Each structure stands twice: as C-alpha cells, then as structure tokens.
Amino acid sequence: MNSPHSTSRRKFLKISALTATAFPLSNVGAFATEAQNKPIVISTWRNPDANAAAWKVLQANGRALDAVEQGARVPEANPNDTSVGYGGLPDREGCVTLDACIMDEKSNCGSVAFVQGYKHPISIARAVMEKTQHVMLVGKGAEKFAAAQGFKKQKLLTKESEKAWKEWLKKSEYKPYHNPGQHDTIGILALDSNGNLCGACTTSGMAFKMHGRVGDSPIIGAGLYVDGEVGAATATGVGEEMIRIAGSNSIVELMRQGLTPQAACEEAIKRLIRKRGEERAKELSVAFLALSVTGEVGAYSTNDVFEYTLTSPEKIHSVIRSDSYFK
Ligand code: SD4
C-alpha cells in the first residue's frame, strides 16, 4: 500500500516534471530582456482612485515605487474603506491595527505590522526600507519610529467602525472562513516605463481578529513579493492561508520557471486547496494577483467574488472580474 507521503511526493514530482518539460529553466532571465517597458498598474479589488494616483506618477515618467506608494495611500485615507487604514474595522478589543509592506525592483523592502494611530503605514514601511538597516518593525517600535520620522499620530477608529465593532461584540463570533466579498485589502503592483517593477500591500487585517494578530499583508513573500527580473505577486483574503504556502513568493518562483502569471496564480490557489481539501477550501476567500516584468497579468481566487483594477495605456482603471476555482 502507498503511504500518503509517497502519493503526495508522486503528485509533486508530476507537477514539477510538467513544469520542467513545458518551461525549461533556460527561460530564466528571458523576461528581463524582453520587457517592453509599457507602464501598467494593477490593484486588488475595485480601486480606480488608487490606480489613478499611481498612474499619475507613471505618466509623468516617475518610479514604480512612488506609484505603488501613492496608490496605496488612497484607500488608507478613505474612511469608507473598512479594510484599510483610517476607518478600518478594529480587532476584537476595538483597536485599529495596521499592517503594510513595500518592495522595489531590487528586492529592497520595508514592512510594518500591528501599528496603531498612523493613517499611512505604507509610508512608514517605505521609511523602514529607506532609512533603517531593517526590513520589519512592529507595534510600539514601529510607532516610535513613525513619530521620530515626523508622521502625525491620529485616531483611526471612525464612528461607523466603532458601531460595527459594538454590534459584533453582541455575539463575538469570529468567522474568517466564510466571508466572501468582505475583503478589500489593497495589493498594488506597478511597472514603470524604465521597466522597474514594484509592489505595495496595506490593510487593517481581518475584522475582529485577536489583538496582536498579524496577517499576510506585511509579510514579504506571503502578501507581497517582487523580483524585478521576473515578476511580482500580491494577495488578499484570509491571510493565514497565504502565509502557509508563502503565496506571493511561490507565484514569483513559478513565473521564474516559465509559468505565465495566470498559470502561477492558479497553481498557488490549487496548492492551497490541495492542502485544505475542497470542502474546507470552499469557505476560504483567498485571491492572488500577479504581474510579469513584461506586463502580463494574472489573477485567480478560490471563490468567484474577486475583482481587480487594471490601468495601462489601453485600459484606464478598468475593473475586471477574476476567474476562480469554485464557480
Ligand atoms: C489579512 N489579507 O490581514 C488580509 C485581509 C484582507 O481585505 O485581505 N482583507 O489577512
């Protein structure tokens, strides 16, 4: 009889063999030389205003890094976006705690997690990247750093979010596994006209999470990964799932082996579903978005609620429905 290990090893070898045959490793690096340098921005969910802010930077021949930061700052400042920044839904203790990270074409990166009292964690993450020797600062340390950098402290809990929290407290049921359509963390990827690829991701995390919980969004490799020679990926949904499979990094590595961004996103979602089993995975809302250094886009999600916003010279802030595993 086969052990479960030998079965899954065979499955793995089958997948690896397919990948290797279809996409020989000699393709590595091909992306960089074929880049057409057409600017493009993609972001998770319906985010035309964020894309517009990023596009403004790219149209002025600016850096992809500035574009993704400017884009991410838009939902961070919007009180009606209850998954990001100001107005984000709080944890179960009523605290709005924010996670964010940013990464450039040379794999420089900065990240903050469990930050309270600052509206723009993405800009604090960028300051971590550019002004410290570290990649990640969390909690009080990140807040102390933000204050020293001149970021202004402010209250992030709006009346509406406080009301939603008080309502939640009545039953205090945390159901992150059945929440389709409720996620609107922004992951934003941009390619500038110099062929540089950068990404940013920012969120207030899962509503009513435990105090101190950190999701995938500030974790380099889980909620965001960028390799300027290959491509970039970002994620939204139940963060614990993306962390388990190092989702965004896995997608970029699959692209390095020659998979299209679409095929790579699909493989990451299928990997997650194989591990969870279809029954349980049906209740998981997870989506990935990817961009190759040649400007090719991929998007795939577990359930059919995910959409993303694309801006290119041909398509101005178009909202596109992603394909999904469960229809
Ligand atoms: C998290 N991935 O903290 C985030 C949640 C999310 O829209 O995507 N919310 O797990």
Side-chain angles (χ1 to χ4, degrees):
M1 217 174 100
N2 288 327
S3 74
H5 285 122
S6 66
T7 312
S8 48
R9 184 168 155 74
R10 258 207 316 279
K11 270 193 206 152
F12 166 76
L13 289 174
K14 210 166 127 195
I15 292 163
S16 312
L18 278 174
T19 308
T21 322
F23 308 105
L25 278 174
S26 57
N27 280 354
V28 172
F31 287 127
T33 51
E34 288 165 17
Q36 290 156 22
N37 299 347
K38 256 200 217 166
I40 179 168
V41 182
I42 52 173
S43 64
T44 53
W45 304 108
R46 187 174 288 265
N47 265 310
D49 294 346
N51 277 37
W55 194 239
K56 203 170 152 195
V57 175
L58 296 185
Q59 277 192 311
N61 248 334
R63 286 183 72 190
L65 187 67
D66 294 321
V68 294
E69 182 189 7
Q70 290 308 316
R73 285 173 65 95
V74 171
E76 282 183 341
N78 180 358
N80 300 321
D81 189 327
T82 55
S83 293
V84 184
Y86 177 56
L89 286 168
D91 64 16
R92 59 190 66 174
E93 295 184 14
C95 306
V96 180
T97 76
L98 305 179
D99 297 338
C101 74
I102 192 160
M103 195 161 187
D104 77 6
E105 68 281 355
K106 297 248 188 304
S107 295
N108 296 306
C109 46
S111 159
V112 290
F114 191 51
V115 171
Q116 298 179 61
Y118 292 91
K119 186 159 78 175
H120 290 300
I122 200 65
S123 297
I124 309 173
R126 182 166 176 180
V128 171
M129 172 174 109
E130 292 179 337
K131 299 188 175 155
T132 79
Q133 291 174 296
H134 306 305
V135 163
M136 191 165 193
L137 292 178
V138 305
K140 292 259 172 294
E143 290 158 24
K144 196 172 165 191
F145 171 72
Q149 290 296 315
F151 289 93
K152 215 176 106 224
K153 199 163 171 132
Q154 73 169 85
K155 188 178 168 204
L156 300 181
L157 188 66
T158 55
K159 279 204 173 59
E160 290 72 21
S161 288
E162 188 172 8
K163 202 170 142 207
W165 169 59
K166 289 197 169 139
E167 198 49 44
W168 179 84
L169 280 177
K170 289 181 187 160
K171 285 195 182 160
S172 299
E173 275 172 4
Y174 183 64
K175 286 187 181 159
Y177 291 101
H178 197 74
N179 210 9
Q182 297 302 303
H183 308 296
D184 41 18
T185 290
I186 184 167
I188 180 164
L189 310 173
L191 181 64
D192 64 30
S193 48
N194 292 316
N196 291 323
L197 184 61
C198 297
C201 187
T202 181
T203 189
S204 51
M206 301 300 290
F208 318 125
K209 61 194 174 184
M210 283 177 71
H211 188 63
R213 179 265 190 189
V214 170
D216 61 308
S217 307
I219 311 284
I220 300 296
L224 177 74
Y225 197 73
V226 179
D227 185 319
E229 293 176 353
V230 177
T234 189
T236 175
V238 183
E240 283 74 6
E241 301 304 317
M242 290 75 114
I243 294 173
R244 282 191 182 104
I245 61 160
S248 294
N249 177 259
S250 299
I251 289 169
V252 173
E253 288 309 313
L254 288 165
M255 286 160 66
R256 192 193 306 282
Q257 289 173 37
L259 265 68
T260 61
Q262 183 61 34
C265 288
E266 290 181 18
E267 169 53 22
I269 290 287
K270 286 175 188 162
R271 189 175 290 177
L272 192 151
I273 292 170
R274 281 198 299 275
K275 290 187 192 303
R276 281 285 177 229
E278 290 214 352
E279 267 324 290
R280 177 130 188 247
K282 258 188 200 142
E283 300 187 338
L284 293 172
S285 185
V286 172
F288 289 110
L289 189 61
L291 180 62
S292 76
V293 78
T294 54
E296 224 186 321
V297 174
Y300 202 63
S301 61
T302 48
N303 44 32
D304 66 352
V305 294
F306 182 52
E307 48 190 16
Y308 63 96
T309 309
L310 183 149
T311 306
S312 70
E314 295 82 31
K315 280 192 177 14
I316 296 297
H317 323 324
S318 304
V319 176
I320 298 168
R321 178 52 76 107
S322 157
D323 193 7
S324 60
Y325 186 86
F326 299 109
K327 309 291 176 196

